[in-house]
Amino acid sequence: MRRTATPFSLVILGLGVFLLVLAPLLAWYVEPRAQRTPIDTDQTTVFTGTGSYFDTDEIETVDDKKLTITRQVRGDVAESEKSGRAVWDVSTSVDTDKTLPAADPHDSLQWTMERWVTDRRTNKPVHCCEEEPYFEGEAYLKFPFDVQKRSYIWWDNTLGSTVTLKYRGEKRIQGYKGLRFTGTVPATKTGTRLVPGTLVGVEDAGQVLAEEWYSNHGVELVADQRTGRIIYAAIGPRKTLRAPGTKKDAVVLLDSKRIAFTPETQKQQVDLADTDSGLLRTVGRTVPLGAGIVGFLLTAVGAVLVVRGRPHPDTPESSQEPLTM
């Protein structure tokens, strides 16, 4: 008797080998290429808190007022596809109860427009595509993928420079675990502004170039470890004016100990992080592991079936009937 492999055993063996090849392919090739910053993003995040600001109607600084920061991020899909980078346009407005709802961002207490261009894999700045302003660092609107438990260089646009954020352990936001980073910004001169001399205590001058100073009581960011998405953010900005050459603040333009993501924004960011992280985990771990286990079992079973084969009786030449004419 001789044995031949059945079609079923060959199918089982082939499927097992296919899954064994697929498993590392997903983990080592597909997942790294899935870790790319999206180019079609369209998200709005809202910060709220209380503080002081310079009221241009009252011509004085008012205290204990509600402040709202609204940041809208939109991806420029056409420019992103053309350049191969993530090109995001970022609108940030600071509002008081007087300016909300703002029909025009120019009516806000403060409004800025930025163009953020990054490498989609590393999250590092790329200086192209009409980027504005020029920035550096490792983190701003998000952290890189696979966030490490170390210090990161964060870009502070108001400062116009980078700040070191130190790793401070894990923190749960809306029940979701992230990595927490904090830092501060000491008082730093950031520019000048032409104002009436009396505003900054220079009585014998008409207009003076007052110095703009900025500091931050505290920056706290909590990032999803797998995707780098920021699920919680809090800042403590302070902006003041000083008379030229002095070391004392003359006017407080904006000051808040803490302005943080609203609960609604926290939930939105957590939901997005959970979804994106789950997809990467599925592609990079769950499916490869399952494919590897099933592939090993099918390969083993297929190999046994092929070896055993299907019995087929031999037909010796002596048993064959002679041909007759």
Side-chain angles (χ1 to χ4, degrees):
M1 300 286 288
R2 61 186 177 87
R3 297 178 179 274
T4 59
T6 65
F8 177 74
S9 65
L10 293 175
V11 170
I12 294 297
L13 179 62
L15 182 58
V17 172
F18 170 75
L19 291 176
L20 286 177
V21 174
L22 179 64
L25 185 67
L26 288 172
W28 300 333
Y29 184 83
V30 176
E31 186 200 19
R33 283 156 182 77
Q35 292 183 335
R36 294 291 185 272
T37 300
I39 62 175
D40 59 348
T41 187
D42 188 353
Q43 297 174 19
T44 299
T45 54
V46 181
F47 302 66
T48 57
T50 58
S52 307
Y53 69 92
F54 186 79
D55 190 320
T56 54
D57 294 330
E58 302 292 335
I59 316 298
E60 65 178 4
T61 300
V62 294
D63 302 318
D64 298 321
K65 300 297 182 180
K66 181 180 179 181
L67 297 170
T68 301
I69 299 178
T70 305
R71 174 174 289 155
Q72 185 174 52
V73 181
R74 287 183 175 175
D76 187 329
V77 177
E79 191 64 41
S80 296
E81 291 179 341
K82 179 181 177 181
S83 66
R85 315 297 186 183
V87 182
W88 289 359
D89 292 318
V90 186
S91 170
T92 305
S93 61
V94 181
D95 288 282
T96 67
D97 285 341
K98 287 184 177 181
T99 60
L100 283 176
D104 187 327
H106 291 87
D107 297 332
S108 299
L109 181 66
Q110 179 181 315
W111 177 63
T112 59
M113 275 294 298
E114 306 163 29
R115 169 156 283 203
W116 169 262
V117 186
T118 60
D119 183 285
R120 296 185 63 196
R121 182 179 61 85
T122 66
N123 199 56
K124 291 183 177 181
V126 178
H127 308 299
C128 73
C129 316
E130 300 180 2
E131 168 208 26
E132 178 65 36
Y134 181 96
F135 65 95
E136 294 292 351
E138 301 172 282
Y140 176 46
L141 299 175
K142 70 181 295 293
F143 280 74
F145 290 95
D146 295 324
V147 183
Q148 304 299 306
K149 296 179 180 181
R150 63 170 177 84
S151 296
Y152 276 85
I153 304 301
W154 178 70
W155 175 261
D156 186 325
N157 193 46
T158 304
L159 179 65
S161 186
T162 58
V163 178
T164 299
L165 298 184
K166 295 182 178 180
Y167 173 66
R168 300 296 187 184
E170 298 177 347
K171 183 175 182 177
R172 289 190 175 273
I173 303 297
Q174 304 265 346
Y176 188 86
K177 185 172 68 175
L179 303 185
R180 178 173 176 260
F181 300 86
T182 66
T184 59
V185 179
T188 306
K189 181 181 176 181
T190 57
T192 57
R193 180 185 300 191
L194 191 64
V195 300
T198 55
L199 187 64
V200 292
V202 183
E203 303 295 340
D204 57 349
Q207 299 282 319
V208 297
L209 275 177
E211 298 175 356
E212 294 184 336
W213 285 73
Y214 163 75
S215 62
N216 203 304
H217 300 291
V219 178
E220 179 183 5
L221 301 179
V222 180
D224 174 47
Q225 186 169 15
R226 187 178 293 273
T227 65
R229 182 183 293 276
I230 296 175
I231 59 177
Y232 179 81
I235 56 176
R238 177 179 172 84
K239 298 180 68 176
T240 62
L241 292 179
R242 297 181 183 182
T246 64
K247 297 182 178 180
K248 183 179 179 180
D249 294 332
V251 178
V252 174
L253 300 177
L254 177 68
D255 187 21
S256 176
K257 295 291 186 181
R258 192 173 186 82
I259 304 177
F261 272 0
T262 63
E264 293 77 16
T265 293
Q266 294 174 38
K267 185 178 186 306
Q268 167 193 294
Q269 294 299 99
V270 164
D271 288 345
L272 290 170
D274 190 25
T275 299
D276 293 344
S277 182
L279 290 173
L280 290 176
R281 183 169 54 251
T282 297
V283 173
R285 180 181 302 175
T286 306
V287 173
L289 181 61
I293 293 174
V294 174
F296 175 79
L297 293 175
L298 290 179
T299 300
V301 171
V304 170
L305 292 176
V306 168
V307 170
R308 291 179 59 186
R310 179 176 58 188
H312 188 278
D314 289 331
T315 305
E317 294 182 1
S318 58
S319 65
Q320 295 181 1
E321 294 183 3
L323 296 176
T324 58
M325 297 295 295

